[in-house]
Amino acid sequence: MPPMRQADGTCGGGNAMATVVINQPGLDKLNVRSGPGGQVVGTVPEGGTVSVIGPCGAISGAAGFTKPKTQQGGGWCQIGALVHGCVSSQFLAFGGGDIGQPGGAAGFVKSKAKHQVSAAATAGFGGSWSANADNVAYSLSLKQNGNGVSGRYQGDDGSAGQINGKVSGNMLRFSWVQKDGTRGSGKFTLSDDGQSFAGSYNFGNNPDAVEGSWNGTRQ
């Protein structure tokens, strides 16, 4: 039987069962929100089965950090298993069908912490990175002095700004500010080999809050 994800637009026609799929390394839980872009009310694990009640409506998400753009892949679905709320339809597979690469609109929760190894500690966050935040490519240049990190980023969508933060273990918590005055915070978790990071960003002052993904690999 083919996937049902096109029925009623994105949500399997309502009263359907779906599997949570997160195609992103190091992430094993998906945030469930009160509504599209709303507050986080719980999480569901990757591979978990949820009952889909119906649609939650369309959603517009940030492209980079400068201007809204309608998110690709449809709207949001309302679920009623494990926790009741809304998730982006692109993270739900109906009838065993495959789905595309996720963006960051529904929000991610970082998987359980990995043991820090000497390679990551030695490499640090300093250097040049090729990064991606919600399907926008960024060039990121960071300098690390002790536990302090500062640097600049430039996005393909024209956004550019500065990062300043502090490292604890293999995690960098930082604030960011753009030339147009847009600002927020975020965090990067360095991989065991020090060659990549998995992270998130938001438009507030709490670096642990997740509004979108921001990941990178060392150049």
Side-chain angles (χ1 to χ4, degrees):
M1 180 177 178
M4 298 184 295
R5 51 190 299 266
Q6 295 306 316
D8 97 338
T10 56
C11 296
N15 297 316
M17 301 301 294
T19 302
V20 177
V21 182
I22 306 173
N23 296 324
Q24 191 151 341
L27 298 169
D28 60 7
K29 293 181 181 179
L30 181 68
N31 281 341
V32 179
R33 296 183 180 273
S34 58
Q39 293 184 341
V40 176
V41 295
T43 62
V44 290
E46 181 175 23
T49 300
V50 297
S51 58
V52 180
I53 301 170
C56 278
I59 179 65
S60 294
F65 309 122
T66 53
K67 56 186 177 181
K69 179 184 292 184
T70 301
Q71 188 175 347
Q72 300 298 314
W76 287 54
C77 297
Q78 187 176 30
I79 62 172
L82 300 179
V83 62
H84 191 282
C86 297
V87 297
S88 178
S89 62
Q90 60 188 318
F91 302 109
L92 299 177
F94 293 91
D98 193 14
I99 61 174
Q101 291 292 326
F108 288 115
V109 178
K110 187 176 72 67
S111 61
K112 51 183 173 292
K114 298 179 180 179
H115 294 294
Q116 181 183 356
V117 296
S118 59
T122 301
F125 284 92
S128 297
W129 301 85
S130 176
N132 185 286
D134 295 342
N135 299 317
V136 176
Y138 287 86
S139 296
L140 185 62
S141 178
L142 299 177
K143 293 182 180 180
Q144 182 168 344
N145 185 6
N147 67 342
V149 174
S150 61
R152 298 176 180 274
Y153 63 85
Q154 177 72 50
D156 283 355
D157 61 352
S159 59
Q162 298 180 346
I163 283 178
N164 288 282
K166 290 186 177 181
V167 175
S168 176
N170 65 341
M171 182 174 293
L172 167 64
R173 288 181 170 88
F174 60 88
S175 61
W176 57 267
V177 59
Q178 290 194 165
K179 293 180 179 179
D180 64 1
T182 307
R183 62 181 62 238
S185 58
K187 62 182 178 181
F188 296 154
T189 301
L190 197 63
S191 64
D192 288 346
D193 62 6
Q195 299 303 302
S196 64
F197 64 79
S200 60
Y201 72 89
N202 64 78
F203 295 91
N205 297 321
N206 179 8
D208 292 320
V210 177
E211 295 186 31
S213 61
W214 196 358
N215 307 313
T217 55
R218 193 180 295 277
Q219 291 184 332

